[in-house]
Amino acid sequence: MFFNRHLLSVTLLLGSGLLLSACGPTADEASATVISGKTMGTFYRVSVVGLDKSREPELRRQIEAQLAEDDHQLSTYKDDSVLSRFNQYNGTVPQPISSGMADAIVTSLRIGQKTAGAMDITVGPLVNLWGFGPNKEPVKMPTQAQIDSAKAEVGLQHLKVIQQSDGQYLQKDLPGLYVDLSTVGEGYATDHLARLVEGNGISDYLVSVGGAVVSRGKNPAGKPWQVAIQKPTDKENAVQAIVDLQGMGISTSGSYRNYYELDGKRLSHIIDPATGRPITHKLVSATVIAPTALEADGWDTGLMVLGTDKALALAQKEHLAVYLITKEGDGFKTNMTQQFKAYLRKGEKP
Ligand code: FAD
């Protein structure tokens, strides 16, 4: 078995498919204040324009406190996070959760329904079985019996958010249900960073956590911030398309960076809840632009599970701004919805 640790580290450095978080400052960031670091098994980057140097340490402190709080809420990698404690709880009595977590779960359940269960935040037992969560990757291919047993613990219908006058509660009707918010966590944290920066009176910024990005206003050159979608290859950082976000959130999910090989098969971290196995089709990357990074981050995984044709049909039906890259022969073909074209940088070929 070969686990692609080196390539995974490149993924984490760059985010999954968006080139913005590359090691050095991008041209857009040349004279912005850039605050960056590690969080949630990946990297964050906050670029702001017009910040007085003396305010930078305080902004960094606030950013790191916010990210630590998001991690404390949503991590399945920390045993004492709010989500892990819910997962460890072996009962069906509603458990109190924060309004932020309730919002992330309600959005995830909605996208889950729209994708007919392709995006399913209860997929945790299968993610862990295939070694893409906090568990180590398996040394042997999981058996059908193991897959069936994990699948029996999965299903959106088993999870519910209850809004009451005294707050929000999360309830499962299967005691063993395990919620995995990794698919939306980066978008969730990115939206929080955007709000935090705006709360500091900054209106020109670009923030990212892993493969989720939000930008507003102008870069230091007085032009719209631009984000590059990466070519789907694990060998280079080549640009496939450049978009101008115009104040929206963007997220990319890809099967080409986060994987390992077992018995000669390349296993992607995107799991199809219907089969209980990593996806095998030829859609290699889905990018979504939406009003929030949380929303974009939820859709991109669901579309990845659906595969090119169903993803495109659903994106068109839901009027989503979506860009898909599919392996075809030795190369790749791209598809995008009409809504996505509006964000392509002028001069980019649709
Ligand atoms: P996305 O495509 O956005 O999501 C893929 C992930 O979603 C999979 O890895 C899996 O977990 C889950 N998933 C797979 N299939 C489905 C499906 N059908 N429906 C729904 N979800 C699915 N990683 C570490 O190594 N160490 C850490 O300490 C760590 N801490 C984290 C803390 C938090 C709060 C979060 C949110 C993530 C953390 N991670 C950690 C995970 C890591 O950064 C993930 O790789 C990342 O969140 C997945 O994002 P992505 O953009 O690569 O993939």
Side-chain angles (χ1 to χ4, degrees), residues 109-171:
L109 293 176
R110 176 169 48 79
I111 295 172
Q113 272 158 6
K114 297 245 181 207
T115 58
M119 197 293 234
D120 184 340
I121 54 169
T122 71
V123 78
L126 288 163
V127 170
N128 293 340
L129 178 67
W130 287 98
F132 288 109
N135 293 2
K136 283 208 171 90
E137 65 273 17
V139 286
K140 283 207 301 209
M141 209 50 105
T143 62
Q144 190 58 48
Q146 286 175 307
I147 294 170
D148 289 344
S149 145
K151 267 180 80 179
E153 301 285 326
V154 173
L156 291 171
Q157 72 278 16
H158 299 302
L159 187 69
K160 156 159 102 181
V161 174
I162 303 166
Q163 310 274 357
Q164 282 184 190
S165 55
D166 64 341
Q168 300 79 22
Y169 294 80
L170 190 59
Q171 184 178 30

Side-chain angles (χ1 to χ4, degrees), residues 16 40 71 77 118 120 180 182-183 185-186 253 269 271 297 301:
S16 56
M40 302 178 184
D71 193 43
Y77 291 77
D120 184 340
D180 178 356
S182 286
T183 188
E186 293 176 354
S253 181
H269 68 137
I271 310 291
D297 208 6
T301 309

Side-chain angles (χ1 to χ4, degrees), residues 35-213:
I35 298 173
S36 60
K38 288 184 189 169
T39 187
M40 302 178 184
T42 185
F43 290 79
Y44 75 87
R45 179 173 285 250
V46 174
S47 308
V48 297
V49 179
L51 182 77
D52 191 286
K53 230 12 203 166
S54 64
R55 292 178 60 205
E56 189 181 327
E58 171 57 15
L59 184 60
R60 177 181 286 278
R61 191 197 62 73
Q62 290 179 22
I63 287 168
E64 289 181 352
Q66 179 65 63
L67 290 170
E69 174 58 21
D70 290 346
D71 193 43
H72 171 66
Q73 290 288 327
L74 301 195
S75 182
T76 48
Y77 291 77
K78 292 204 164 72
D79 287 345
D80 60 350
S81 74
V82 174
L83 187 60
S84 287
R85 274 183 288 159
F86 177 80
N87 287 336
Q88 289 150 15
Y89 167 63
N90 211 22
T92 57
V93 174
Q95 301 295 304
I97 52 169
S98 65
S99 59
M101 193 195 277
D103 185 37
I105 294 176
V106 166
T107 301
S108 300
L109 293 176
R110 176 169 48 79
I111 295 172
Q113 272 158 6
K114 297 245 181 207
T115 58
M119 197 293 234
D120 184 340
I121 54 169
T122 71
V123 78
L126 288 163
V127 170
N128 293 340
L129 178 67
W130 287 98
F132 288 109
N135 293 2
K136 283 208 171 90
E137 65 273 17
V139 286
K140 283 207 301 209
M141 209 50 105
T143 62
Q144 190 58 48
Q146 286 175 307
I147 294 170
D148 289 344
S149 145
K151 267 180 80 179
E153 301 285 326
V154 173
L156 291 171
Q157 72 278 16
H158 299 302
L159 187 69
K160 156 159 102 181
V161 174
I162 303 166
Q163 310 274 357
Q164 282 184 190
S165 55
D166 64 341
Q168 300 79 22
Y169 294 80
L170 190 59
Q171 184 178 30
K172 48 184 166 181
D173 66 14
L174 276 182
L177 201 76
Y178 180 105
V179 180
D180 178 356
L181 292 174
S182 286
T183 188
V184 289
E186 293 176 354
Y188 176 83
T190 303
D191 288 335
H192 283 174
L193 291 187
R195 250 175 267 156
L196 188 156
V197 165
E198 288 198 3
N200 276 274
I202 299 162
S203 50
D204 294 310
Y205 63 85
L206 185 149
V207 300
S208 68
V209 179
V213 182

